């Protein structure tokens, strides 16, 4: 499925890069800060890359911050990536559910002086520098307490030493249920050991057959140990999914592959180039859109768990996506996006 954002009316909000700000409540002053570190700071152009960010929220005020949330919003005059996929999230080292269409990542209650760290693993594909904004909000009131910029530059790069593809068989009009072909190739020039696949597909679906796959530590994940992989060799698997109890789960997987090669840890990632549904989908209509549907979070559009920055009909690429909800259209534009059909 290919999805993009058309913004018909732009509502520009100037944001000081790297700055944080506070919002005063009616009865008490709530102050907080956000700190972030993301690696790598530069991505190879057009290659699915795992970006790991640690974002720490700290309550610097004298009142409790109930149900503090982290959200990610588009920024004016900056592109979002060609494709992105929130792959995994942990809070203070503990894996958290990452549901379809998630717009808020919970820090929980923060007492005065307390802090909490969210670690976000996001697969990113970009052909130009991109940016977004991490926002700290108070639960319930939705008060915006602090923000920090996120983003990276891109550069031309040689082919990755560990090549991974995850392709929907038959393209966008593939079989139902959808079948994906996973291919991992060692182009590092050295033997690789301990090669491991981490597959994310959401907890509403399961692999069938699932020989060799085990439940991953993160909710909605499965893992597979490839063991050793000789230089120049590849391994292929066919991934077929079934419903895990939901009537019509939407399937859009992604993988992260790691292994030791040439005395270094190699990591590669891939977002599936297509998607589909499994189970009984009669009467589901269009379903509840998850990934790809920007949500107007007050003055800014919050980014869903997966999406695209590519504008339909714009050969130059991506445009900033901050604006009013009026006229927002979802159109085909060359990028797979996860969705959910829950009711």
């Amino acid at each position: 499925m290919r999805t993009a954002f058309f913004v018909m009316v732009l509502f520009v909000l100037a944001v000081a890069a790297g700055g944080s700000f506070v919002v005063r409540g009616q009865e008490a002053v709530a102050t907080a800060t956000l700190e972030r570190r993301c690696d790598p700071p530069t991505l190879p152009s057009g290659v699915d890359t795992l970006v790991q960010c640690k974002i720490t929220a700290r309550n610097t005020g004298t009142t409790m911050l109930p149900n503090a949330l982290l959200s990610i919003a588009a920024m004016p005059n900056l592109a979002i990536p060609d494709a992105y996929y929130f792959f995994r999230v942990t809070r203070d080292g503990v894996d958290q559910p990452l549901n379809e269409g998630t717009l808020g990542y919970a820090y929980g209650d923060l007492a005065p002086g307390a802090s909490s760290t969210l670690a976000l693993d996001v697969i990113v594909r970009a052909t130009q520098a991109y940016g977004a904004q991490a926002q700290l909000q108070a639960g319930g009131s939705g008060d915006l307490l602090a923000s920090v910029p996120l983003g990276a530059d891109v550069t031309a790069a040689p082919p990755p030493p560990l090549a991974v593809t995850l392709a929907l068989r038959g393209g966008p009009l593939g079989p139902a249920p959808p079948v994906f072909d996973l291919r991992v190739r060692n182009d590092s020039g050295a033997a690789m050991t301990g090669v491991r696949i981490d597959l994310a597909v959401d907890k509403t679906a399961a692999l069938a057959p699932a020989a060799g796959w085990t439940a991953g530590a993160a909710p909605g994940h499965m893992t597979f140990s490839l063991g050793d992989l000789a230089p120049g060799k590849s391994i292929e698997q066919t991934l077929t999914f079934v419903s895990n109890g939901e009537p019509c789960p939407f399937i859009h997987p992604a993988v992260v592959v790691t292994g030791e090669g040439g005395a270094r840890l190699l990591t590669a990632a891939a977002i599936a180039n297509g998607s589909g549904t499994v189970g009984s989908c009669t009467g589901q209509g269009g379903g509840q859109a998850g990934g790809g549907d920007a949500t107007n979070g007050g003055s800014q559009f919050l980014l869903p768990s997966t999406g695209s920055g590519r504008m339909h009909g714009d050969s130059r690429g991506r445009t900033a996506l901050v604006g009013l909800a009026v006229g927002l259209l979802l159109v085909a534009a060359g990028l797979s996006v996860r969705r959910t059909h829950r009711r």
Side-chain angles (χ1 to χ4, degrees), residues 190-275:
M192 294 189 63
T193 60
V195 182
R196 179 177 176 272
I197 301 172
D198 188 352
L199 168 71
V201 71
D202 194 67
K203 61 181 178 293
T204 61
L207 282 172
W213 289 87
T214 59
H221 284 235
M222 300 188 73
T223 62
F224 188 91
S225 178
L226 290 179
D228 298 341
L229 193 58
K233 297 297 183 180
S234 62
I235 186 168
E236 298 181 3
Q237 284 203 11
T238 298
L239 306 181
T240 303
F241 296 93
V242 295
S243 172
N244 197 19
E246 292 288 329
C248 186
F250 197 88
I251 309 300
H252 183 217
V255 294
V256 170
V257 182
T258 56
E260 295 281 347
R264 57 177 177 152
L265 178 66
L266 299 177
T267 301
I271 303 172
N273 72 334
S275 55

Side-chain angles (χ1 to χ4, degrees), residues 70-256:
L70 179 76
S71 59
I72 312 295
M75 293 181 69
N77 305 319
L78 286 177
I80 62 174
D82 297 55
Y84 66 90
Y85 192 113
F86 280 74
F87 187 77
R88 186 178 183 183
V89 59
T90 64
R91 183 178 68 200
D92 299 324
V94 179
D95 282 294
Q96 303 295 308
L98 187 66
N99 295 323
E100 303 289 347
T102 295
L103 296 174
Y105 306 93
Y107 284 109
D109 296 340
L110 292 179
S115 66
S116 182
T117 298
L118 287 172
L120 302 177
D121 288 359
V122 187
I123 302 174
V124 177
R125 183 191 312 143
T127 52
Q128 66 177 19
Y130 65 89
Q133 180 175 259
Q135 301 177 338
L136 177 64
Q137 294 175 291
S141 68
D143 287 346
L144 188 57
L145 303 176
S147 67
V148 292
L150 301 174
D153 293 326
V154 301
T155 184
L162 184 58
V164 181
T165 59
L166 185 58
L168 176 65
R169 187 175 296 178
L173 299 179
V179 176
F180 296 85
D181 292 315
L182 171 64
R183 185 172 186 265
V184 180
R185 180 178 176 85
N186 178 9
D187 290 330
S188 69
M192 294 189 63
T193 60
V195 182
R196 179 177 176 272
I197 301 172
D198 188 352
L199 168 71
V201 71
D202 194 67
K203 61 181 178 293
T204 61
L207 282 172
W213 289 87
T214 59
H221 284 235
M222 300 188 73
T223 62
F224 188 91
S225 178
L226 290 179
D228 298 341
L229 193 58
K233 297 297 183 180
S234 62
I235 186 168
E236 298 181 3
Q237 284 203 11
T238 298
L239 306 181
T240 303
F241 296 93
V242 295
S243 172
N244 197 19
E246 292 288 329
C248 186
F250 197 88
I251 309 300
H252 183 217
V255 294
V256 170

